[in-house]
Amino acid sequence: MMRETALIEANNLSVAVPRSSRWFPSRKPDLDILVDVSVAVKPGEIVCMVGESGSGKTTFGRALLGLVRPSAGQIVFDGTPLPDFSPPSFKRIRREASLLFQDPVTSFDPRQRIASILAEPRRIARSGSVARSEIEELARKAGLVSPLLSKFPHALSGGQARRAAVARALSVVPRLIVADEPTAGLDVSVQGGVLNLFLDIREEFRTSFLIITHNLSIARHVSDRIVILYLGRVLESGPAREIFRAPRHPYTRALLDSEPIPNPAKRREAPPVIGEVPGLAARPSGCEFHTRCAFAQDRCRHERPLQTAISAEHEVACHYPLTPRLTVVGPPPQRLPKTANR
Amino acid sequence: MTPGPATATPVNPAPVLELADVSISYSGIVPAVVGVDLMVMPGEIVGIIGESGSGKSTLAHSVLGLLPDSAQISGKTLSLNGIDMLGASEQAMRQLRGPAAAMIFQNPMTTFSPMHKLGRQLMDLLWRERGLSNKEKRQKILKALQDVGLPDPAARLEAYPFQLSGGMLQRVAIAAALLMRPSLLVADEPTTALDVTMEAQILHLMHEIRRNAGVSILMISHHLGVIAEICDRVAVMYAGRIVEEGPVDVIFADPRHPYTKALFACEPALIETGATRLPVIGGEVPRPVRIGCGFAGRCPQVLECCCNATPPWVAVGAGNVSHFSRCHRSAP
């Protein structure tokens, strides 16, 4: 992947949690949450990481900023690799990156007023002014009116709280914003405002974004590149336009087809995928998606497919990638019997 | 999966649920629902779409009498299966919950008690069936779990809720709701907490239970895609009022109320790729108002009369299509 200009790059990043502890020893091997995930975000680029719950997308965002300790791999920030994964090494990234948490209200101190919450990163970083007028200017940038600055977090509506979180993220002018489900819990009439704000910020500061979401229609509108995660592995990654027009991995296509279409004339006959994500503790053999894949062959059950480049920036991990033409054909020809994975 | 009730309905059937001019307020001063009329016919799936704060959940909870004590319901009619519920005692409500109507909640993880095994909780739901032995009850529960496509139902009876995934638990919740053979199933955002692939499966299941059990469904959602996928008729709620109602294909093809139009314009799935900015509706959802139009403050086509006169409920459908809108602009 384009090493030359990436702002932040994860190379074969893995996260594993031990299942054995001092008080509860166990012979079980470590549980792999993320396996060999490689993602690069260029300056001013918006990358969307998409996956179902349990795919490890939130963990990836946190691992990138050192909130979860990676177990293997490498993180390169601004061209220089981190020497190790100790907390001091991550300081360099955290100074220039912000994380938008999934639930903004619980990410605020309930006993601080919004103005103080917005000023806190500047106080910690000892950079930027914490004068009231400057904080008001910051809030205005995120679309918050100044009377809200003297309120406590619980008094804000969902959309306002999200804007306050964005304002806090902007307070030290980050070069990277990791946004975990930035539109979860927002009404459609408001979520566009938050995404437009991201686009404005990118235009003004050339900030890079890693947006973690399960909402594909959002990803379609804002992202430059898409990364599809399944059970902690990247199944497909590439330019957003290409992936939405012609997904090559059967899982990507199933995800796209699962999104209900707001058109009563286009109802589906049957659900595009059956079953659910197998647990991380019971990873299927071979290609991990084979238990739900409509096109699985014998080879898929035994041999894990490797990431293969399809075009310059488009990679897919599948033995039998879909041909672009196939995406317009109706329901898949044969379906595997329903399998219980637990 | 064609629009319209799957089975041919008899001439002039009695509605399963009927609401006429129902208003609900909290503590007597905060209105949540204002003057709602709604009917659900046997075997019909009716959707209520609205943003947070529109009163759609309050309305759904009122159908089963699940509102807190501070809520006050007033109006002409609120009847389930022809039985009036406005003056019903708690005793009478208990008789209705189950056989007349059952509910599926948004979060399947909090639907069940975390302390008891699922089998025991499902068994408790059958307390009314005094004639059945425990063994027969167990058979009945297993059959219900099989009907909703739960893999390995016998083992699930011995499981605690935390041992099942959200999608599986939602299936159990649907089975539990159907155990008493209700005529109406109220589903309050049943797929919001689930992944898209699971959402598609649950929606498919709801279609199937309508076809097989003949149950009517009142579907509450904020997701246009979900409503389009399964409903026969839709009511759009805004600030406590139903502002537009009609058959799902008509509403989606030709929305008439300015709010419905604005809502559809914001739906990311309907916007062409390549739009540089996404549309929004400015301002916040206001408190429900008793007089005037709730959308007046955000409406691009606001008139002078919108603020001081409640818009009339006008038929806007072509021919005999029952399509209504509550807007001064639609008034003749």
Side-chain angles (χ1 to χ4, degrees):
Chain A
M1 282 191 216
M2 334 94 348
R3 298 175 179 251
E4 59 300 344
T5 53
L7 170 69
I8 191 161
E9 205 178 319
N11 293 325
N12 297 326
L13 199 71
S14 300
V15 173
V17 290
R19 276 191 282 185
S20 179
S21 66
R22 192 171 154 207
W23 300 106
F24 297 100
S26 158
R27 286 175 171 277
K28 288 178 184 165
D30 292 357
L31 194 61
D32 295 315
I33 311 291
L34 287 175
V35 189
D36 293 339
V37 176
S38 300
V39 173
V41 187
K42 287 190 258 184
E45 194 181 37
I46 298 183
V47 175
C48 270
M49 192 159 241
V50 180
E52 291 178 89
S53 43
S55 61
K57 52 192 194 302
T58 296
T59 307
F60 180 78
R62 299 176 78 101
L64 213 51
L65 302 185
L67 296 178
V68 174
R69 198 181 173 128
S71 53
Q74 186 192 39
I75 294 177
V76 183
F77 187 70
D78 222 1
T80 332
L82 298 197
D84 54 21
F85 294 134
S86 63
S89 316
F90 276 106
K91 261 202 173 147
R92 197 158 61 87
I93 296 182
R94 285 197 213 156
R95 264 185 191 281
E96 310 213 46
S98 296
L99 178 61
L100 287 178
F101 292 91
Q102 214 170 99
D103 182 0
V105 177
T106 54
S107 76
F108 295 144
D109 177 354
R111 294 197 285 184
Q112 279 189 52
R113 293 178 197 273
I114 299 298
S116 157
I117 288 172
L118 298 190
E120 199 171 24
R122 291 187 175 176
R123 281 200 297 268
I124 293 169
R126 290 173 206 273
S127 76
S129 159
V130 294
R132 178 77 183 192
S133 59
E134 293 287 317
I135 297 300
E136 273 177 17
E137 171 63 26
L138 174 67
R140 215 178 33 90
K141 226 177 260 166
L144 277 185
V145 288
S146 39
L148 291 175
L149 289 177
S150 47
K151 295 219 163 141
F152 286 100
H154 69 86
L156 266 54
S157 73
Q160 289 167 343
R162 196 75 60 165
R163 284 171 185 278
V166 176
R168 177 174 65 178
L170 287 179
S171 70
V172 286
V173 196
R175 292 165 69 195
L176 170 74
I177 293 182
V178 178
D180 192 358
E181 301 278 6
T183 58
L186 292 186
D187 284 315
V188 272
S189 67
V190 192
Q191 68 184 15
V194 173
L195 297 172
N196 289 345
L197 186 58
F198 285 3
L199 296 170
D200 292 340
I201 293 167
R202 173 188 41 190
E203 226 159 68
E204 193 175 341
F205 304 107
R206 218 166 123 71
T207 311
S208 309
F209 283 87
L210 177 73
I211 299 179
I212 293 156
T213 183
H214 65 271
N215 190 331
L216 282 159
S217 39
I218 298 249
R220 184 163 68 95
H221 286 294
V222 297
S223 62
D224 303 312
R225 282 163 46 75
I226 301 269
V227 179
I228 307 277
L229 273 188
Y230 189 74
L231 283 179
R233 264 181 226 276
V234 178
L235 292 193
E236 185 167 7
S237 69
R241 303 195 75 154
E242 219 172 296
I243 288 193
F244 280 102
R245 205 185 51 234
R248 306 301 290 273
H249 199 287
Y251 178 62
T252 314
R253 184 165 139 203
L255 272 185
L256 289 173
D257 289 350
S258 292
E259 195 79 11
I261 309 158
N263 183 348
K266 290 189 187 163
R267 292 187 178 181
R268 294 164 295 197
E269 283 304 313
V273 230
I274 39 181
E276 53 190 277
V277 188
L280 289 165
R283 286 173 179 274
S285 61
C287 170
E288 283 159 355
F289 184 58
H290 87 253
T291 54
R292 301 166 78 194
C293 183
F295 306 99
Q297 311 279 324
D298 210 36
R299 183 179 171 202
C300 305
R301 283 179 258 276
H302 309 299
E303 190 186 328
R304 180 155 46 239
L306 298 171
Q307 285 269 353
T308 326
I310 279 188
S311 65
E313 294 192 348
H314 192 165
E315 290 191 353
V316 63
C318 181
H319 290 305
Y320 307 101
L322 304 169
T323 50
R325 192 169 41 86
L326 251 177
T327 55
V328 287
V329 178
Q334 49 85 219
R335 217 171 247 293
L336 283 180
K338 234 184 233 187
T339 35
N341 295 306
R342 294 197 178 186
Chain B
M1 266 192 251
T2 43
T7 47
T9 40
V11 213
N12 253 347
V16 173
L17 174 72
E18 189 177 2
L19 277 77
D21 198 22
V22 169
S23 297
I24 303 167
S25 61
Y26 287 106
S27 316
I29 41 168
V30 188
V33 170
V34 184
V36 161
D37 301 285
L38 189 72
M39 255 197 235
V40 181
M41 301 311 260
E44 194 180 30
I45 304 185
V46 174
I48 296 185
I49 190 153
E51 293 181 273
S52 41
S54 63
K56 58 189 194 306
S57 279
T58 300
L59 189 67
H61 283 75
S62 73
V63 171
L64 278 95
L66 294 179
L67 292 173
D69 289 341
S70 61
Q72 288 160 348
I73 310 182
S74 59
K76 276 201 205 94
T77 322
L78 172 57
S79 69
L80 254 179
N81 278 349
I83 304 163
D84 179 50
M85 292 170 58
L86 278 177
S89 63
E90 180 56 32
Q91 196 83 36
M93 291 296 301
R94 280 192 175 197
Q95 295 300 322
L96 286 173
R97 285 184 208 126
M103 189 150 177
I104 318 170
F105 297 90
Q106 177 171 353
N107 189 348
M109 297 289 176
T110 52
T111 301
F112 295 96
S113 157
M115 306 290 288
H116 302 101
K117 290 178 180 169
L118 286 169
R120 151 99 194 271
Q121 299 190 45
L122 292 172
M123 213 64 128
D124 285 349
L125 289 174
L126 292 173
W127 62 275
R128 255 180 270 250
E129 313 264 337
R130 294 187 207 283
L132 292 182
S133 69
N134 278 354
K135 208 171 170 187
E136 286 165 324
K137 285 183 184 173
R138 196 182 137 91
Q139 287 306 321
K140 203 172 165 180
I141 290 167
L142 284 176
K143 169 83 172 53
L145 292 178
Q146 255 158 19
D147 289 347
V148 295
L150 192 77
D152 197 6
R156 308 295 176 208
L157 294 184
E158 295 304 310
Y160 288 94
F162 76 89
Q163 291 171 307
L164 270 66
S165 69
M168 277 202 234
L169 269 183
Q170 199 61 294
R171 280 180 200 269
V172 179
I174 293 173
L178 292 179
L179 263 183
M180 295 308 299
R181 311 213 152 278
S183 12
L184 177 72
L185 188 61
V186 180
D188 187 5
E189 308 252 11
T191 59
T192 305
L194 306 176
D195 281 317
V196 271
T197 56
M198 188 48 69
E199 177 177 80
Q201 295 174 58
I202 294 289
L203 291 180
H204 184 68
L205 172 65
M206 292 183 77
H207 257 298
E208 272 184 354
I209 59 172
R210 186 259 292 263
R211 195 173 330 143
N212 300 338
V215 64
S216 311
I217 300 175
L218 182 65
M219 178 88 179
I220 316 290
S221 183
H222 67 276
H223 195 153
L224 291 172
V226 168
I227 294 284
E229 182 82 28
I230 82 163
C231 294
D232 304 321
R233 227 149 37 79
V234 197
V236 183
M237 265 191 104
Y238 186 79
R241 275 186 199 278
I242 292 182
V243 295
E244 185 164 3
E245 196 206 304
V248 70
D249 40 345
V250 175
I251 295 253
F252 276 76
D254 182 24
R256 302 303 280 278
H257 196 279
Y259 172 66
T260 319
K261 286 182 190 168
L263 188 68
F264 282 31
C266 289
E267 171 60 39
L270 290 173
I271 303 166
E272 294 285 317
T273 319
T276 44
R277 290 291 184 273
L278 294 163
V280 290
I281 307 181
E284 307 259 325
V285 178
R287 285 265 179 80
V289 286
R290 290 200 172 93
I291 295 163
C293 173
F295 194 53
R298 300 164 90 185
C299 183
Q301 306 171 305
V302 67
L303 296 170
E304 213 168 293
C305 55
C306 294
C307 296
N308 43 39
T310 305
W313 188 234
V314 191
V316 291
N320 54 2
V321 176
S322 68
H323 182 187
F324 295 89
S325 166
R326 188 180 285 284
C327 180
H328 283 300
R329 292 238 176 223
S330 322

